[in-house]
Amino acid sequence: MKKYLTLFLFAALIYSCGAQQESNNNSILNTDKVSSSRPKLVVGIVVDQMRYDYLTRFESKFGEGGFIRMINEGFNCKNNHFNYVPTYTGPGHASVYTGTTPKYHGIISNNWYDKDIKKSVYCAQDDDVESVGTDSWAGKMSPHRMLTTSVADENRLFTQMRGKTIGIAIKDRGAILPAGHTANAAYWFYGKNEGVWITSTFYRTNLPEWVKDFNDSDAVESYLKVWDTYEPIETYIESGSDLNNFEGGFKGKETATFPYDLAALKEENGGYDILKATAYGNSLTMDFAIAAIEGEALGQDNDTDVLAVSFSSTDYVGHNFGVNSKEVEDTYIRLDRDLERFFNYLDENVGEGEYTVFLTADHGAVDVPAYLQSVKIPAGYLDYNSRKEKFNKFLTNTYGTTDIVENISNNQVFLNKAKLKELNLNFHDVEQALVDEQISYSNIAKVYTATAMNSTNFTTGIEALLQNGFNQKRSGDVIVVDDIAHIAYSRTGSTHGSGLNYDTHVPLIFFGAGIKKGETFDKTVIPDIAPTISALLGISFPNGATGQPLGFVID
C-alpha cells in the first residue's frame, strides 16, 4: 500500500511541476504579448485655447474622421479641468506632459519675474544655446527651466533612448516643453520675413534634410492665399455675426470680416507671421507633423516613439477675434479636416491599431467681456494703471517708499526683502498689510499671501488652484485674484489665465491602441494625462507627477 501511495505522490509531484512549468511558460508568453502590444507611436495633441464646448458647439459641422472619430472610437472625458492657476500656454503644455502642476514643474507662467537675477524671464528662453535654421534670436530656446521629466522623457529612458521624441508647434514653448529634456528635437515656426521651421543647439547643430526640404518647398508660401469660410458663411449659426464690435482683425483691412486676402495683408501684419493667426497655421503645422513622421521614421519599429504636436493658431485666432467669432468656428472646422487627414495618414503609414492619440488643450478662454456686457452678463476690463497708482500712493504713505515692492507681474507682488530689512519692517506684517489694502480695490475678488500658500493645505475652491500653481522659489509674496470675466485686455478679442470654468474646462479624448470606447462625466484633471500614458506604456511616471492614471480609459 505504501508503495502505491509513494508512486501516486511522485506522479502528482511530476504533474504539479509540469503544470507549474506550463504556467510559467504562459506567463512568459503573456508578458511578451503585453510588451509587443505597446503602441508604435504615441501622438499627443494640444489644441491651444480650446474650450470644451467647442466640441459640442461645432459638432454638427465636423466630419466623421476627425474629432467625431476620436469620440466614437475612443474615450471622452467630458469633465476635464486644469487644477491650478494660471491657465497660460507654458504652464499648460508643461502640466499635460509632466503630470503635475507649476508647484512642482516650475513653469509658473509664460514669463515671470526671477527673484534671483532680478529680471523677467521667458519659460523657454536659454541664452546658453544658439539658433538653428535662422540667424535670429528666435532659436535660443530649451526646456531647461522645467524642473521635472515629461512622459516623453520617461519613454526615452525606458527604451534606452531608442524610442524617438519629436515636438512640433508654431509656438516654441508649445514644442519644447512637451518634448522634454531628452527629445531628439523640437521644431517651431519662425515667421517674419523667413517663414521657416527652426530649432536650437540644445537638440542638434543643424537641421535634418527633411526639415531643410520642407523649408525649401512652397509649403509655407502656398498658404498665403485667401482665407474664406470652409462652408457657406450663412450656415455658421453656431457663432455670432461676422461684422461686430468685438473682434480685432488685421491691419490693412477695414473690418474683421471674411474673406481675408493673406498675400495682400502680409506686409502690414508681420510677414509670414500672419499665418499664425489664421486657420492655415494649423494646416501648416499638420503638414510639418506628417513630414516629421516620414522623415524620422516614427512608429516604424517596436520601440514606442512620441510625437508631441501643438496647434497654436487656435490661440492666435481666439485672441484676435474672440470665442464667439466666425473665425474661431471656421478654424475648428478646418482643424477637424486636418485631423481626419492626419488619422488617415497614420492608418496607412503606422497602421490602424498601432498608434495611440490623446487630445487636450493648454487652457480655455473667456467670452469677450464687451460682448458679455452687451447681453447683460457681468463682465468688464481692468485698469492696471489706476490700480498701480493707488497702490504706490498707499506704499508711500505707509512706508515712505515704493521700493519695498520689487516687482508686480502675473497678478503677484514680489517684495524687496533687502529693503524690508533695511527699514526694519516685519515681512509677515507687510505681507498682510498689502493683502488688506489690495482687497479694498475694485474688481479684486480675493488676495492671499505666500505664507498662506505655504502653511495651509487647501483642498477646494480657487485657493486650491492657486496653491497648485504656487512655486515657493519662483512665485510672488502676494497673489491677487480678479473678478469673474474681468480681464486686462483690449475691448476686442479675448484672453485667459484664470481658475474659472471658461479657462479650466478643456477637452480630453484618448483614442487608438490600448484605449477603451466610452465616456465619463467624472472629473479628471490635466495632471492625470501623463500617468495614464505611462501606465499604458508600462513605463515610469514622470518624476514629479502628482496626477493619477485613469485606469477606466485603458483597455
Side-chain angles (χ1 to χ4, degrees), residues 146-453:
M146 190 168 74
L147 304 176
T148 63
T149 62
S150 72
V151 65
D153 286 323
E154 296 299 335
N155 184 66
R156 290 274 285 160
L157 293 171
F158 182 84
T159 61
Q160 301 302 310
M161 301 295 170
R162 293 188 302 270
K164 287 187 175 181
T165 296
I166 302 292
I168 292 170
I170 278 180
K171 293 182 181 179
D172 48 41
R173 58 189 180 271
I176 291 167
L177 299 174
H181 304 276
T182 62
N184 299 85
Y187 299 101
W188 53 98
F189 183 71
Y190 181 66
K192 305 295 183 185
N193 63 339
E194 296 185 39
V196 292
W197 291 88
I198 65 173
T199 188
S200 84
T201 54
F202 179 85
Y203 305 101
R204 52 187 302 136
T205 57
N206 60 349
L207 292 177
E209 287 303 314
W210 69 266
V211 177
K212 291 178 183 178
D213 290 344
F214 192 95
N215 286 340
D216 290 340
S217 73
D218 65 350
V220 176
E221 196 76 29
S222 70
Y223 288 113
L224 287 173
K225 57 185 180 180
V226 174
W227 178 24
D228 206 348
T229 54
Y230 187 85
E231 303 285 358
I233 195 168
E234 62 270 16
T235 67
Y236 283 24
I237 61 173
E238 297 81 9
S239 48
S241 60
D242 194 27
L243 180 61
N244 58 68
N245 297 322
F246 314 119
E247 301 175 12
F250 295 112
K251 294 177 183 178
K253 192 172 190 301
E254 188 174 339
T255 60
T257 55
F258 282 107
Y260 299 95
D261 186 340
L262 302 184
L265 295 169
K266 172 187 172 185
E267 295 309 316
E268 289 189 67
N269 293 274
Y272 290 103
D273 278 345
I274 194 172
L275 293 176
K276 297 179 180 180
T278 74
Y280 296 144
N282 291 330
S283 298
L284 175 62
T285 302
M286 188 64 82
D287 293 344
F288 191 74
I290 290 173
I293 294 172
E294 183 174 342
E296 298 289 344
L298 300 181
Q300 299 304 309
D301 57 34
N302 290 327
D303 290 310
T304 301
D305 298 320
V306 175
L307 176 65
V309 185
S310 178
F311 292 98
S312 307
S313 291
T314 43
D315 185 67
Y316 289 109
V317 174
H319 278 295
N320 192 353
F321 298 97
V323 167
N324 202 44
S325 64
K326 294 202 185 302
E327 287 79 2
V328 161
E329 179 168 2
D330 191 69
T331 297
Y332 279 90
I333 290 171
R334 290 178 179 274
L335 176 58
D336 178 66
R337 271 54 177 189
D338 280 325
L339 289 173
E340 180 173 5
R341 171 165 66 101
F342 186 50
F343 297 149
N344 288 341
Y345 176 86
L346 292 175
D347 288 344
E348 181 70 23
N349 293 275
V350 179
E352 191 169 359
E354 298 286 355
Y355 62 89
T356 304
V357 180
F358 69 82
L359 182 147
T360 188
D362 56 349
H363 53 73
V366 64
D367 263 296
V368 178
Y371 167 69
L372 293 177
Q373 289 173 335
S374 74
V375 293
K376 300 179 181 179
I377 292 176
Y381 294 90
L382 305 170
D383 185 350
Y384 279 171
N385 289 330
S386 62
R387 185 185 289 183
K388 182 178 180 181
E389 183 179 339
K390 187 174 182 179
F391 186 51
N392 283 341
K393 185 176 180 180
F394 160 78
L395 293 174
T396 301
N397 291 341
T398 307
Y399 303 106
T401 180
T402 61
D403 291 346
I404 66 167
V405 171
E406 200 166 77
N407 178 267
I408 301 176
S409 55
N410 292 320
N411 276 30
Q412 297 179 17
V413 179
F414 295 78
L415 290 173
N416 185 332
K417 310 295 194 305
K419 193 66 177 179
L420 293 180
K421 187 175 182 180
E422 177 188 323
L423 297 175
N424 199 29
L425 294 171
N426 180 274
F427 171 78
H428 297 296
D429 290 344
V430 173
E431 193 183 35
Q432 187 58 50
L434 299 195
V435 169
D436 295 339
E437 171 66 15
Q438 291 269 338
I439 196 62
S440 69
Y441 296 172
S442 60
N443 301 131
I444 290 183
K446 294 176 181 290
V447 190
Y448 296 93
T449 65
T451 299
M453 292 294 112

Side-chain angles (χ1 to χ4, degrees), residues 7-37:
L7 288 173
F8 175 79
L9 291 173
F10 179 73
L13 178 62
I14 293 296
Y15 176 81
S16 175
C17 290
Q20 182 64 46
Q21 183 64 42
E22 183 179 355
S23 175
N24 289 340
N25 289 338
N26 286 339
S27 296
I28 294 170
L29 291 172
N30 288 338
T31 300
D32 287 344
K33 184 178 180 180
V34 169
S35 64
S36 65
S37 68

